Amino acid sequence: MKLIGANHVSEQQLDQFLESVTSISKEALLKEGYVIIVDEEIKGCFTLLSLTEEVFWLKQLYIQPEIANNLLALIETILLMIKNMKAKKLYVHSHQPVLDIILDALQFEKAKEEVQVEQKPNLVGKWWEYDVS
C-alpha cells in the first residue's frame, strides 16, 4: 500500500477510479488529496484539509471493500504522515459505528467542541480528535 498525492497520478488513472466513486470531489482530491495504491491500482483516497498550519481534517476517506482490512494501517500511516508535516491535531468526522470503534482503538478522543470548518455541510455523526505528539 502506497500513499501518493492525487496530483501525481495520471488523470486517466484518477478518472477511471472516480467513475465508480461519485461522492468524491475530483477538484478537492487534486488540490489536497491523496490516493491509495495497491498493486499499481488506485483502491482508495482521502483529503487532508488544512484548518490551520498545525490542524488538519481527514476528510472524504474512501477505500474499496477489498482493502477494508487495511483501514487501521491506513489511518496509522496518515497519522505518521501528518506528524512529519509538524501537525499538532487531526480531526475526523465519523458517521459509521465501525470507524468509531477504530478511532477509539487508535486513541482518538471525541472532540471537546464542535469543529469549525468552512462550507460545512449538515454532518451527522461524531467529531473525533487526535493530538499528534
Side-chain angles (χ1 to χ4, degrees):
M1 178 173 64
K2 295 187 291 187
L3 303 182
I4 299 173
N7 58 351
H8 289 97
V9 297
S10 74
E11 189 167 357
Q12 178 186 4
Q13 191 178 16
L14 190 59
D15 287 342
Q16 183 178 359
F17 168 72
L18 291 174
E19 282 177 10
S20 62
V21 188
T22 57
S23 62
I24 301 297
S25 163
K26 180 179 179 181
E27 182 180 312
L29 193 57
L30 287 170
K31 182 178 176 186
E32 53 212 6
Y34 298 83
V35 294
I36 303 152
I37 307 285
V38 177
D39 297 328
E40 304 305 316
E41 287 186 45
I42 300 175
K43 296 291 185 176
C45 64
F46 62 92
T47 56
L48 270 178
L49 183 63
S50 176
L51 301 177
T52 70
E53 191 174 307
E54 299 176 327
V55 178
F56 290 87
W57 174 16
L58 175 59
K59 186 179 175 187
Q60 289 190 318
L61 174 62
Y62 171 82
I63 58 173
Q64 293 179 337
E66 64 265 24
I67 67 162
N69 61 332
N70 293 329
L71 183 58
L72 185 63
L74 173 61
I75 294 174
E76 288 176 327
T77 302
I78 293 169
L79 289 172
L80 180 61
M81 186 172 90
I82 67 161
K83 185 175 185 175
N84 290 335
M85 296 165 68
K86 307 293 189 232
K88 300 277 188 217
K89 190 174 292 276
L90 176 68
Y91 287 103
V92 177
H93 184 266
S94 169
H95 59 275
Q96 298 178 349
V98 172
L99 183 55
D100 290 340
I101 292 167
I102 290 170
L103 294 172
D104 189 48
L106 287 170
Q107 300 179 343
F108 276 74
E109 295 181 2
K110 289 181 183 164
K112 296 167 187 68
E113 55 191 51
E114 180 152 341
V115 179
Q116 300 301 313
V117 294
E118 288 183 29
Q119 302 172 339
K120 181 171 63 173
N122 292 331
L123 297 175
V124 177
K126 300 175 188 157
W127 281 100
W128 293 82
E129 63 184 54
Y130 185 88
D131 289 319
V132 181
S133 53

